[in-house]
Structure formats: C-alpha cells, structure tokens
Amino acid sequence: MSRKHWFFVLGIWAVLAAVAVAAPQKALIIDGQNGHNWKETTPVLKKLLEETGLFTVDVATSPPKGEDMSGFKPDFAAYDVVISNYQGDSWPEETQQALVDYVKGGGGLVIYHFACAAFPNWKEYNEMSGLGGWGRRNEKHGPYVRWRDGKFVRDTSPGRGGGHGPMQPFQLVIREPNHPITEGLPEKFMHVNDELYGWLRGPAKNLTVLATAFAPKDKGGAGEHEPLLFTVEYGTGRVFQNALGHTAKELKSVAFIATFRRGVEWAATGKVTQKVPDDFPTAEKASVRE
Ligand code: ZN
C-alpha cells in the first residue's frame, strides 16, 4: 500500500474511534403501569439523562393494567441500558426471557424506586434486582441486608418485605466508596423529604450496597441502616437500584439526580465519566434544582 493509502486508513480509524467515544449510550425507560405516578416521573427521568449528553432515551409504555400484554415486547437487546419505572401486571414469558437474556449477556438494568415492588414471583427478576419490597414479599423471598457492627450481614428473620414511615428528609451514607458510582462523592449527603424505603428483602446474590440511610423507629422505620443504592452483578450484566424519588418533586434532589445519572452510566458502560456536580449536597444540607 502506498503512503497515501496508509494515511487514508489511519484517518478512517481516527474518525471511527472519535465516533465510538462520542456516541451516546442508548437508554430505554419501561413504564405503563405503576402504583406510582409514572406519567409524571418518566419525562423527568428522560430529561435528566438527556441533559448529560451521554444518552439517547426511548420509552416503552406497556398496555394499561388488566389489558392484553401479549404484544408488549420491547427490544431490550437494542439498548445499552434499560431503566424500569414499571410495577404492574406480569409480562409475557417471551418478554421476561428477553430481559433475562439481555442482562445476563452484559446489558445494564436500572431499577428506580417502586419498580422494586414489581414481579414478586418472578424468580429471575428478584435475582436481578437483589432486594425488593411489597407484593407480599416476605422471608421466602430472601433475607434483609443489614449494616451491623461495621459490616453487612444477612438477616433471615421472618417479616414483611418493603415498607416506610412518613416522608422525611434523610442522610445517605456511602458504604462502598471505591465503586464508579460513588467514587468522589462525600461520605455523607442529605436527600430531601422523601420516602425512606425499608425492610427490602430478596436473594441479595452478588449484591454490593453503595449507600444506606438510617430509618429511626420513631419515624416509622426499622431502626436500621436501610440499603437505598446498590448494585447486582447478574451474569455479565450490571444492575443498579436507586430507591429514592417518590414523585417528580423528589427527583429535583441533587442526591437523586447525581446518583441516578451516575448509576445509569455505570449500568450502561461499567464506567462513570460524570464529575461530581458543584451543587452536590453536604452532610447537613440537601440540594434541590428547580
Ligand atoms: Zn413511593
């Protein structure tokens, strides 16, 4: 090959490499049924991701509750990360299997807030999500994961899965600072008035708790440090769960915004390139974006 040809080949490679670096990750939000106001929260989640410039976001909306679900077959495999804002009727077996295959094969899955209550009797969903609540979950679904004496332990005592006291502001405490999602964040940071999910339970296999918040008994909690941000390795896939964010109002908290965006990027790529924002909350004060 002539010298000119070599320059041409190198040039093509340089362009391809630049495109590969700059290409946004493809994200898919699943909604359509949820005991929560998904019609309000999905557009906020979409915007939060698009604003980073790192993602393009599609939404797959299921048929309403009680209607024929047989045609609900999102093409998970076409995405780098799937975000569930779904809690409702069972999916067709084919759709369930497609999600399992997608995550097992290296896909990213993010479970947002009440999506942890979905599919209580779908074994693989419980394994992918690690911990969940409601839907009559109990000790048969797996242990609670408790932070006691400086380490995480599994508590198999019988009892409900999922619950919370009245809304309250609370402080998150990082329990794993050496994870891409939490790296560089302050050890403690405040979240706004929100539901403090507690008593989550599940198979908790290959689970890493990134952050907990203490739920005092006098505020309707278990008197435990509740896991609220955590990851699960499932096959070669990455799952991130963020239990914060009851309505669009709570999604204005920078504690949510930053951990959600970072968690979605990590689930999609295994890395986090986003800097910690300047308005990130402190140990004493929550931070809100209007
Ligand atoms: Zn809620």
Side-chain angles (χ1 to χ4, degrees):
M1 235 191 287
S2 74
R3 208 183 158 105
K4 208 167 162 187
H5 278 110
W6 274 116
F7 278 121
F8 178 72
V9 170
L10 281 173
I12 293 284
W13 275 109
V15 167
L16 287 175
V19 167
V21 168
Q25 303 295 318
K26 293 184 71 184
L28 176 70
I29 299 175
I30 309 284
D31 65 13
Q33 296 183 29
N34 198 320
H36 284 53
N37 191 350
W38 59 270
K39 287 182 183 170
E40 176 188 271
T41 51
T42 287
V44 179
L45 299 176
K46 186 172 189 287
K47 186 160 169 274
L48 288 177
L49 295 178
E50 286 170 345
E51 278 171 356
T52 64
L54 297 171
F55 309 98
T56 57
V57 186
D58 293 337
V59 179
T61 300
S62 78
K65 200 161 190 63
E67 293 193 11
D68 178 18
M69 291 289 278
S70 60
F72 185 60
K73 297 173 186 171
D75 185 9
F76 303 120
Y79 293 89
D80 300 298
V81 58
V82 171
I83 297 121
S84 180
N85 190 12
Y86 183 92
Q87 179 271 328
D89 293 345
S90 293
W91 293 347
E93 213 163 288
E94 186 187 334
T95 305
Q96 295 186 354
Q97 192 57 47
L99 185 72
V100 170
D101 291 344
Y102 159 79
V103 180
K104 228 175 223 173
L109 175 66
V110 173
I111 294 169
Y112 152 65
H113 194 62
F114 201 54
C116 78
F119 312 126
N121 301 315
W122 176 10
K123 181 171 170 278
E124 290 83 3
Y125 184 77
N126 288 328
E127 285 174 359
M128 289 189 281
S129 57
L131 296 170
W134 299 275
R136 299 190 179 176
R137 281 173 168 84
N138 58 29
E139 62 278 6
K140 291 183 188 123
H141 289 77
Y144 302 116
V145 172
R146 295 305 189 200
W147 175 261
R148 288 178 190 149
D149 304 321
K151 62 175 193 295
F152 284 107
V153 292
R154 281 158 169 67
D155 179 344
T156 56
S157 32
R160 62 169 158 172
H164 59 79
M167 286 177 100
Q168 57 198 281
F170 51 89
Q171 183 191 60
L172 286 115
V173 179
I174 303 275
R175 302 298 183 186
E176 176 46 87
N178 300 312
H179 189 281
I181 296 174
T182 50
E183 207 177 354
L185 301 184
E187 187 201 356
K188 298 174 179 177
F189 55 96
M190 282 301 293
H191 180 48
V192 297
N193 209 38
D194 197 354
E195 293 170 345
L196 201 178
Y197 274 11
W199 295 277
L200 299 182
R201 58 192 318 165
K205 284 192 264 181
N206 306 314
L207 179 107
T208 302
V209 179
L210 302 179
T212 59
F214 186 72
K217 280 190 176 166
D218 62 5
K219 286 186 184 169
E224 299 275 359
H225 300 273
E226 298 290 359
L228 298 183
L229 306 177
F230 47 92
T231 64
V232 174
E233 282 173 53
Y234 185 79
T236 54
R238 291 170 297 273
V239 183
F240 171 62
Q241 190 163 160
N242 192 326
L244 309 177
H246 177 59
T247 70
K249 187 175 177 218
E250 292 75 42
L251 302 188
K252 294 177 177 179
S253 167
V254 181
F256 176 82
I257 294 171
T259 57
F260 175 69
R261 285 173 167 171
R262 293 169 71 94
V264 174
E265 187 183 8
W266 174 79
T269 68
K271 287 181 284 203
V272 173
T273 60
Q274 300 166 68
K275 293 198 173 66
V276 180
D278 293 338
D279 59 349
F280 198 79
T282 66
E284 292 82 33
K285 202 172 180 305
S287 173
V288 172
R289 285 186 198 165
E290 288 306 331

